[in-house]
Amino acid sequence: MNGKRICKTCNDCKILYRRSPFGFWKFRRYYCERFCRLISVGDCCDSWRAKRRAPDCLAERFAEAESAAKYLLGVFKDD
């Protein structure tokens, strides 16, 4: 994290996406879950909380990757 206490780095701040005929695009404004309103990137308030990063080390994901690797080894096995 860059250390600045702005809404973009707050845990309550969520990115908004807009739908267009060509796909989804990031919206230039964010949504504050705490106050239920649209906010600008550089805004800040007294309720700022650092974003929590959750590790992506679930046993299910490792098992899925292992089964996918075994499948690929079976498909590309030299006979």
Side-chain angles (χ1 to χ4, degrees):
M1 189 167 61
N2 60 8
K4 293 182 181 177
R5 290 185 170 219
I6 57 175
C7 285
K8 186 177 180 179
T9 61
C10 181
N11 194 51
D12 293 326
C13 181
K14 305 301 178 203
I15 299 172
L16 294 177
Y17 292 90
R18 295 185 106 176
R19 184 175 174 188
S20 74
F22 307 107
F24 290 91
W25 305 96
K26 277 187 181 180
F27 191 46
R28 291 184 185 202
R29 300 197 59 181
Y30 290 76
Y31 180 76
C32 179
E33 285 188 333
R34 184 175 184 96
F35 297 110
C36 300
R37 63 185 171 118
L38 290 176
I39 54 176
S40 296
V41 178
D43 289 349
C44 187
C45 68
D46 294 334
S47 301
W48 183 89
R49 295 183 304 159
K51 284 195 185 244
R52 285 178 255 145
R53 305 281 184 204
D56 194 16
C57 301
L58 298 174
E60 300 165 354
R61 291 182 58 89
F62 286 119
E64 184 181 321
E66 185 178 359
S67 66
K70 286 179 183 177
Y71 171 76
L72 289 174
L73 284 173
V75 169
F76 295 111
K77 182 176 165 182
D78 290 336
D79 291 327

